[in-house]
Amino acid sequence: MSTPSRMQADPRATLRAGLPDRYLTPDDIAEIFEVPLETVYQWRKKRVGPPGFRIGRHLRYDPADVRAYVSDLKKADRHAA
């Protein structure tokens, strides 16, 4: 039985263990939050969700901003309860 030479890491585990050494793509965000890719684009259009930025025509997300977004959601949820 052979194993793939390069296994793809789970982006959620990467964020829990530490910041990845690259900016995240919309596909990464969809996988992390377990939502359809279209939802990620709707969040951007409605200005909700983690803040993203463009590099040329490519949309990217800073992992530190994604962590801050999740932290803010957790704080808001604790205060609402």
Side-chain angles (χ1 to χ4, degrees):
M1 178 185 333
S2 66
T3 58
S5 61
R6 184 177 176 192
M7 294 183 68
Q8 203 162 12
D10 179 1
R12 291 169 295 181
T14 303
L15 282 175
R16 284 192 298 270
L19 299 176
D21 61 353
R22 65 177 178 82
Y23 291 118
L24 302 170
T25 65
D27 288 324
D28 294 330
I29 297 299
E31 187 174 340
I32 289 167
F33 290 104
E34 297 179 352
V35 298
L37 183 59
E38 184 58 33
T39 299
V40 175
Y41 289 116
Q42 286 299 317
W43 286 346
R44 176 128 170 108
K45 183 177 179 180
K46 295 176 182 177
R47 297 182 186 265
V48 299
F53 61 96
R54 291 217 173 263
I55 298 177
R57 63 184 189 134
H58 302 283
L59 181 58
R60 295 294 181 259
Y61 295 85
D62 188 328
D65 291 340
V66 174
R67 283 186 110 170
Y69 170 74
V70 170
S71 293
D72 290 345
L73 285 177
K74 288 180 178 180
K75 287 177 191 173
D77 192 48
R78 279 187 222 131
H79 288 17

